[in-house]
Amino acid sequence: MAKMYYEKDCDISYLDGKKIAIIGYGSQGHAHALNLKDSGCDVCVGLRQGSKNWANAEKAGLQVKTIEEAAQWGDIVMILINDEVQADVYKKSIAPYMTEGKALAFAHGFNIRYQQIVPPKGVDVFMAAPKGPGHTVRSTYVNGKGVPCLVAVEQNATGDAYKIALAYIVGIGGARAGVMETTFHDETETDLFGEQAVLCGGVVELMKCGFETLVEAGYEPENAYFECIHEMKLIIDLINKGGVAAMNYSISDTAEFGEYVSGPRVLPYEETKKNMKAVLNDIQDGTFAGRWIAENKSFGRTFFNSKRAQLAKHQMEIVGEELRRNMIWGGDKDLDTASN
Ligand code: NAD
Ligand code: MG
Ligand code: MG
Ligand code: MG
Ligand code: MG
Ligand code: MG
């Protein structure tokens, strides 16, 4: 069983007198910075000179510095910029200031696991990884709750790295929900696998295939959107609350019978498992990481950008946008802050 921690097992006083520099003000960055500030911590945000987020962060009451100044100022330096640019930014603007006794922190282990960042021996290296989007990390905190987090320590130079990491997770609200201990190795590999095979890769392909099947058979695209895409969230909410049993309880017996009869037809068990194992294998042996690094460094993101453009033109996206605009619960305005 994985080791779990809750607020009673953590001590936020390990952050007393510590300055926390949050590098980046995107999805996770704005949530960590604002939650820590509201928890009474001494926080600053480190941004590129001229970043559009500079004014946003200041308007939210945060002090803002350049990345170099923030890295120099902070005792804890949390890197919350895109994984694929972290190594270059770290080498140029953060590494020179990682003096003995400081802590370097991450919300995902990619750059440590694949040795893109190699911190000096004298610093603590920890992970505080919320298992949810940054905007949820903020909204749950504001509502007195939190998003569950993973904690991991790669280097414990001071001997207090775990205590500091858990205190940090109290500060962002995660300990209210629960903290699971893991390693950079396991977090990186399971996170990449989950998002590729199931959550993002798997779900999008499944919805796209379902949508296209109905539309090609002559049904209205709006109907296809509701059945194969819109309802996904309602179903997942039930599973999230009470497992598959809660979903089965809430859906009709006809739907449950169809689940047993047709689920294995669209996702043939043996073949799907074999393909998932191949995806996991590419993550474990570094093939996926190498491909993603090369896509950024050598290929100018041509594959990534063409896929993104292609998806934006897909009928399910166009129909969905139109429908959501007309639904009173549609249009999640708090998702607008995520880039500069
Ligand atoms: P994001 O894309 O929302 O924000 C990244 C920020 O970094 C943006 O403000 C961007 O302008 C800035 N940035 C990009 N390139 C930069 C550069 N060269 N120099 C300086 N700043 C630059 O990113 P995010 O989703 O918040 O991810 C941050 C970290 O959190 C990543 O390690 C990610 O894996 C991890 N994480 C994300 C989520 C999530 O749901 N979004 C969940 C858990 C962990
Ligand atoms: Mg994840
Ligand atoms: Mg991820
Ligand atoms: Mg239905
Ligand atoms: Mg039922
Ligand atoms: Mg993003």
Side-chain angles (χ1 to χ4, degrees):
M1 274 299 273
K3 190 155 186 201
M4 295 290 302
Y5 301 90
Y6 299 93
E7 223 161 22
K8 62 175 171 47
D9 310 311
C10 312
D11 181 359
I12 197 172
S13 75
Y14 276 89
L15 298 181
D16 287 354
K18 287 207 189 305
K19 300 194 271 271
I20 307 174
I22 303 293
I23 310 300
Y25 199 67
S27 175
Q28 290 292 328
H30 90 285
H32 289 227
L34 291 171
N35 292 3
L36 287 164
K37 177 173 86 69
D38 290 349
S39 293
C41 301
D42 192 5
V43 190
C44 95
V45 177
L47 296 175
R48 283 174 287 193
Q49 200 75 259
S51 159
K52 199 178 79 191
N53 275 329
W54 198 292
N56 293 338
E58 280 187 341
K59 217 181 293 159
L62 291 156
Q63 53 170 329
V64 184
K65 299 174 185 292
T66 63
I67 297 176
E68 289 81 358
E69 287 164 355
Q72 189 165 18
W73 176 86
D75 300 303
I76 299 171
V77 181
M78 170 56 103
I79 305 188
L80 293 175
I81 60 178
N82 305 42
D83 297 304
E84 68 277 11
V85 302
Q86 287 184 9
D88 285 344
V89 172
Y90 174 79
K91 277 180 204 106
K92 187 170 150 280
S93 309
I94 299 173
Y97 310 106
M98 290 316 296
T99 49
E100 224 162 273
K102 285 196 180 192
L104 187 65
F106 296 87
H108 175 47
F110 188 95
N111 285 284
I112 295 290
R113 164 65 182 86
Y114 298 111
Q115 282 109 39
Q116 299 302 296
I117 293 177
V118 182
K121 285 273 167 281
V123 306
D124 288 345
V125 179
F126 73 78
M127 181 192 308
K131 290 284 98 182
H135 299 88
T136 315
V137 172
R138 180 57 183 161
S139 63
T140 51
Y141 180 91
V142 170
N143 293 322
K145 301 200 175 101
V147 168
C149 287
L150 298 181
V151 66
V153 169
E154 181 78 5
Q155 285 185 192
N156 193 354
T158 64
D160 279 341
Y162 274 103
K163 306 271 190 200
I164 296 166
L166 289 172
Y168 183 99
I169 294 172
V170 173
I172 62 172
R176 295 167 177 171
V179 189
M180 194 181 93
E181 191 174 303
T182 184
T183 59
F184 273 66
H185 180 273
D186 286 4
E187 182 277 340
T188 304
E189 295 182 2
T190 54
D191 184 74
L192 291 173
F193 178 78
E195 65 203 18
Q196 292 176 27
V198 181
L199 305 175
C200 310
V203 163
V204 172
E205 283 309 303
L206 192 63
M207 294 193 303
K208 192 162 55 174
C209 280
F211 176 89
E212 286 178 8
T213 302
L214 285 179
V215 172
E216 283 164 18
Y219 297 98
E220 294 292 356
E222 290 79 4
N223 201 343
Y225 181 84
F226 272 119
E227 287 301 334
C228 300
I229 299 171
H230 178 76
E231 279 196 47
M232 179 71 84
K233 179 190 182 320
L234 313 178
I235 288 296
I236 296 299
D237 281 348
L238 292 168
I239 296 175
N240 191 275
K241 262 203 186 118
V244 178
M247 177 194 79
N248 284 340
Y249 173 73
S250 180
I251 64 177
S252 65
D253 285 359
T254 312
E256 188 177 343
F257 179 66
E259 173 190 331
Y260 302 138
V261 168
S262 300
R265 286 182 74 187
V266 300
L267 281 181
Y269 189 80
E270 294 298 335
E271 205 187 327
T272 306
K273 265 289 191 54
K274 198 173 93 211
N275 292 336
M276 285 197 177
K277 280 184 181 153
V279 167
L280 181 59
N281 196 53
D282 281 359
I283 291 166
Q284 291 170 328
D285 71 10
T287 303
F288 172 79
R291 196 175 161 195
W292 178 220
I293 292 162
E295 176 70 12
N296 284 282
K297 292 234 185 241
S298 313
F299 304 124
R301 285 193 173 222
T302 40
F303 172 82
F304 182 93
N305 289 333
S306 77
K307 283 291 173 190
R308 191 183 258 184
Q310 206 182 322
L311 183 69
K313 280 193 253 151
H314 195 285
Q315 194 181 13
M316 72 174 186
E317 287 289 273
I318 292 165
V319 168
E321 206 202 334
E322 177 70 30
L323 284 175
R324 286 192 307 274
R325 213 182 308 127
N326 295 312
M327 283 191 263
I328 47 169
W329 61 84
D332 208 349
K333 294 290 185 298
D334 68 352
L335 290 184
D336 289 347
T337 58
S339 77
N340 60 355

